[in-house]
Amino acid sequence: MDGFFPIGTARARTLKSAIGCVGVGLHSGARAALMLRPAEAGAGIVFRRTDLGVEIPARHDLVSDTRLCTAIGEGQARIGTIEHVMAALAALGVTDAVVEVDGPEIPILDGSAAPFIFLLDCAGLVELDAPLRAIEILRTVRVQEGEGPDAAWAELSPGEGPGFEAELSIDFGATAIGRQSLSMPVTEDGFRAVLADARTFTMAEDIARLRSVGLARGGSLANAVVVDGPLVVNPGGLRHADEFVRHKMLDVVGDLALAGAPLRGRFRGHRSGHALNNRVLRALLADPRAWRWAGEAAPVTALAGATARLPMAAAPA
């Protein structure tokens, strides 16, 4: 089965060889060198700060910041803007890899996941001698911000098939964006064709404010779509008419990949961002009635040590 999340793939997967690139951090504005390396079965996705000698597992419970990106770790031992590379790794079914970076932020490259897909295609992938485990969603969990029709919310629920589906709507005041929606089975082919090249975006009036608080210092028209009311400022315009909701869906894929294993079920959200994506994942995995390892006969409540069975439940870095 074509797959993100690769439910039908029997084996875990890693890179055939290491590959890297150099870019700039979207928020820090600093030069950032990235290297993707193979890892042994069972290692999971691990981020490594080569300048600090610190490793941080790619886990939902290690997310420390969700302001305009997803960051893991604390203090100096922090890595930001991980969602695009996580989405690319998950889309191609990479379960075990080391993501090295020599600073506090993954390079933004062109603002999408397409350059990371290119790197992984160039490196090649190989199956590992280990079975692939997936998380089956058993009951709906939902998180929400605000009340009424303008409330932002996200939910994870059981799916009708063996894969993963996602449905998302967004609503922005800028008329160039407005209200957009997207619903799709999230597979490798679908990710490549629909989501991978959708770029991050911002409002022109927000740029000065963001930079005043230390954000968006590396942003430019080369790595982000800039919207000014009804206008798209970028000379080349949009890559897709609905590029905005496509990118928000790309972020969902990357944020949910921090489950530590592929999800079997369905995501639905309205105006959901990094914070709600992480909250709904935490809510799912904190409720032992809401999930189980695919193929097991009972929810984790009926198994010994429910907390210890959470995906990637290693000690914090």
Side-chain angles (χ1 to χ4, degrees), residues 110-152:
D110 77 342
S112 77
F116 299 111
I117 294 288
F118 174 76
L119 290 173
L120 292 170
D121 285 343
C122 290
L125 303 179
V126 61
E127 289 192 348
L128 296 166
D129 187 20
L132 180 72
R133 303 192 78 189
I135 295 168
E136 182 181 358
I137 300 171
L138 301 177
R139 59 192 297 174
T140 299
V141 295
R142 180 182 173 109
V143 295
Q144 182 169 317
E145 290 181 357
E147 300 293 336
D150 292 330

Side-chain angles (χ1 to χ4, degrees), residues 141-142 153-157 164-169 266-270 272 280:
V141 295
R142 180 182 173 109
W153 55 270
E155 69 176 34
L156 289 166
S157 59
F164 188 79
E165 296 181 321
E167 179 181 336
L168 180 67
S169 59
R266 182 175 180 83
F267 170 90
R268 294 178 63 240
H270 175 61
S272 182
V280 76

Side-chain angles (χ1 to χ4, degrees), residues 238-263:
L238 297 174
R239 292 175 175 174
H240 310 279
D242 61 346
E243 186 169 1
F244 305 103
V245 72
R246 292 189 190 206
H247 185 79
K248 286 292 191 180
M249 184 79 86
L250 186 160
D251 284 344
V252 168
V253 172
D255 290 340
L256 295 185
L258 293 170
L263 297 176

